[in-house]
Amino acid sequence: MNADDNDDCAVYDFPGNLSLVIGMDFVRGPGFVLFQEHYLNYFDLGYYLVVANLSDIAAMGATPIGITTVIRYHESLTDEDFSQILQGIKAAAALYQTPIVGGDIGGYTETVLAATAFGITQHGKYLKRRGALPGDLLCLTGEIGLASTALVYFTKARKLGFLLAEEEEAILLRAWRRPVARIREGLVLTQLGVVHVCQDVSDGVKATIDQLAQASSVSFKIDEASLPIHPLTRKVATMLDVDPISVALSASVDFELMFTISPADLINVQRVFLLPGTALHVLGEAIPSSIPSYLLRNDGGKSSVPGVAWDQQVQNVADVILE
Amino acid sequence: MNADDNDDCAVYDFPGNLSLVIGMDFVRGPGFVLFQEHYLNYFDLGYYLVVANLSDIAAMGATPIGITTVIRYHESLTDEDFSQILQGIKAAAALYQTPIVGGDIGGYTETVLAATAFGITQHGKYLKRRGALPGDLLCLTGEIGLASTALVYFTKARKLGFLLAEEEEAILLRAWRRPVARIREGLVLTQLGVVHVCQDVSDGVKATIDQLAQASSVSFKIDEASLPIHPLTRKVATMLDVDPISVALSASVDFELMFTISPADLINVQRVFLLPGTALHVLGEAIPSSIPSYLLRNDGGKSSVPGVAWDQQVQNVADVILE
């Protein structure tokens, strides 16, 4: 085993230049606020379980080769509910061409969803969490904050009478119902061999920045102008008069990859990320750790990086964002 | 992926004659009746979690190379309880020389213990669940029924005033507190290359016989005289006037390996199982499936194989054994 304790996954180097990558994630599932408020169904939970686990493999830049699942059902779960979970698992696994290779099914005093995903790569080729250098560019594979925006909107704004259009609500819910594991992006980044550190942002962008900074003993300077914040996040933040940046950077299960590269490699990365369906955003750069990480506002002001990091004690991050 | 759906684990064949074996098990843990009645502690649950998962690797005849765990804690769990679970996990992993390579820790509405164990073997060398032939000898690596006897004794007999000596109680509890994964035995059987099918008996001997029979389309004839039933099982069964065979063959988390071999290979297997700490019991033989599996009693009578198979709906198998 040679992965850092810091990495999302375990890594085994086997003979024949083969490395095995393993990640294991439990998913709150029925504990999701949006599930409890009936915006998500059991199919969505099964789908989410697979994507959350594959995202760990994506963040290592590995090719997924299989997933095993634990499904324990509370006595209140109907056969139809259970079948919906299974169908969600199967649909996501099929979309990511990842066979379901076993698992554990049974009853328990609470419904439980967990999984382990496996991937392969070559010796030394997996993407690491430690090794960012001052001067590195901090990059991101897509927009962030739609999942946290969904929480703020459905559990707060909407209840106060603010209403989005149906299509807009669908976009927000899609972040939870059909999340995307950036497998292709991770593989492309591995191929390029230019990434210093990589992690998915499933704990939120602020939390990910803090974790990457700590692991590599650097800080990050973030440019407000570069943040890929969806117009809906701004719209919902405005409804409640909160900072859209705080909503976007707070705990949000976006599953985008955040990584650093040397500025000299940017052109090579940009060239690949012209692929349809991919995106590349340069959020800022790594700076020496003597200066704390900060956000450079559009007006020239500086502040600490806003947002609420994921905290498993917090049931609904929207509660904290709106405090 | 080339393991049968029937196998406990998934198997991947990699280049270089390397096969990876994976098993994933959830453990009821705090739901164990003996935990709820304070005969087991949190250390025991952590220990059990590791052994239950390694037993799947043992049943494949593979060498364990790592384990990942999910530990989700209910809010009622104290820091000390949590630390005890971790210590139990670490102790068992250390005893089996298996590194803990990652996992998932957090809160949930119920305490959750699950794990995934990894092992390696060579292409085609793992022990399978399908392929027993009529005439095969049915073998077992140790005594069975102490775990179910513990349930019958502590949750039934003892409450009725029947008392064992302290040392006897300790023996019964050890089946739950310090279970044994038959890793060495599995490896030795793989080396010999004589095993047709293999499975651990963690669902109980009756259940395992039924599963092996179904997978291979055979039946089994079991000799009462050959059953390795511990004297304590007979003693406790006598207290309550139930059939000791039924207690011993019922759902019991014994983690012994049950396997079949050709009669011609018995001498080779016996030779190896003279190793200290190992045991070999020949319970009977595979017969054509045209005859249902049966138990040949010492008095010459025949009956169906007694015992209650594991059923996740049943909280305490002792309830059913005593029905």
Side-chain angles (χ1 to χ4, degrees), chain A residues 134-135 217-219 286-292:
Chain A
S217 299
V218 295
S219 292
I287 56 176
S289 62
S290 50
I291 309 162

Side-chain angles (χ1 to χ4, degrees), chain A residues 10-315:
Chain A
V11 180
Y12 290 95
D13 287 338
F14 288 131
N17 201 23
L18 178 91
S19 292
L20 174 74
V21 165
I22 300 162
M24 186 170 197
D25 265 327
F26 170 95
V27 157
R28 300 177 77 89
F32 287 153
V33 179
L34 292 181
F35 176 82
Q36 290 170 351
E37 302 203 357
H38 308 292
Y39 291 108
L40 308 177
N41 58 35
Y42 281 105
F43 182 99
D44 299 334
L45 299 187
Y47 194 101
Y48 184 103
L49 174 67
V50 170
V51 171
N53 275 274
L54 289 181
S55 182
D56 285 344
I57 303 299
M60 306 285 277
T63 305
I65 59 167
I67 189 164
T68 60
T69 57
V70 165
I71 314 171
R72 289 275 161 165
Y73 43 90
H74 183 261
E75 58 183 9
S76 66
L77 207 76
T78 68
D79 286 356
E80 175 58 21
D81 296 339
F82 183 76
S83 162
Q84 285 297 315
I85 293 174
L86 276 184
Q87 285 180 45
I89 288 172
K90 285 179 182 171
L95 269 170
Y96 287 93
Q97 303 168 47
T98 305
I100 301 163
V101 294
D104 173 299
I105 286 177
Y108 193 49
T109 44
E110 189 61 272
T111 295
V112 171
L113 297 174
T116 303
F118 314 98
I120 50 173
T121 181
Q122 292 177 291
H123 289 186
K125 283 290 182 74
Y126 73 96
L127 305 178
K128 297 164 187 70
R129 275 203 186 181
R130 184 176 297 181
L133 300 169
D136 275 8
L137 299 179
L138 183 68
C139 305
L140 194 68
T141 57
E143 283 167 337
I144 35 88
L146 277 177
S148 52
T149 304
L151 283 173
V152 171
Y153 172 70
F154 287 103
T155 71
K156 303 292 175 187
R158 200 174 195 281
K159 291 177 178 174
L160 294 170
F162 297 100
L163 276 187
L164 292 174
E166 211 172 303
E167 316 84 76
E168 293 175 317
E169 291 191 344
I171 290 171
L172 291 184
L173 284 178
R174 198 168 57 206
W176 287 88
R177 304 188 68 195
R178 298 296 176 273
V180 173
R182 294 296 185 188
I183 296 287
R184 288 193 310 164
E185 287 79 351
L187 289 172
V188 158
L189 290 171
T190 304
Q191 282 304 315
L192 289 174
V194 299
V195 168
H196 294 169
V197 295
C198 183
Q199 191 176 328
D200 74 11
V201 299
S202 54
D203 290 349
V205 167
K206 179 188 165 51
T208 308
I209 288 172
D210 289 350
Q211 289 162 21
L212 289 179
Q214 195 180 358
S216 294
S217 299
V218 295
S219 292
F220 289 99
K221 169 197 153 200
I222 310 294
D223 293 313
E224 177 181 349
S226 70
L227 291 173
I229 299 180
H230 195 281
L232 277 175
T233 299
R234 299 191 189 278
K235 196 165 175 178
V236 170
T238 305
M239 288 173 177
L240 297 175
D241 198 23
V242 292
D243 181 3
I245 301 178
S246 175
V247 175
L249 305 193
S250 289
S252 183
V253 287
D254 295 313
F255 300 115
E256 300 298 339
L257 300 184
M258 181 176 278
F259 57 97
T260 79
I261 56 173
S262 297
D265 292 317
L266 179 60
I267 189 162
N268 287 322
V269 176
Q270 282 175 324
R271 195 159 47 187
V272 173
F273 277 77
L274 291 174
L275 280 171
T278 68
L280 178 70
H281 305 277
V282 179
L283 305 191
E285 62 180 294
I287 56 176
S289 62
S290 50
I291 309 162
S293 294
Y294 67 93
L295 176 73
L296 182 61
R297 297 265 177 183
N298 289 344
D299 62 10
K302 293 179 184 177
S303 73
S304 58
V305 180
V308 180
W310 185 76
D311 176 347
Q312 61 89 15
Q313 303 296 348
V314 176
Q315 167 79 344

Side-chain angles (χ1 to χ4, degrees), chain B residues 58-59 139-141 182 185-186 198-200 255-259:
Chain B
C139 305
L140 195 67
T141 57
R182 294 296 186 188
E185 287 79 352
C198 182
Q199 192 175 328
D200 74 12
F255 299 114
E256 299 298 340
L257 300 184
M258 181 176 277
F259 58 96

Side-chain angles (χ1 to χ4, degrees), chain B residues 31-41 147 150-151 154-155 172-173 176:
Chain B
F32 287 153
V33 179
L34 293 181
F35 176 82
Q36 290 170 350
E37 301 203 357
H38 307 293
Y39 291 108
L40 308 178
N41 58 35
L151 283 174
F154 287 103
T155 71
L172 291 184
L173 284 179
W176 286 88

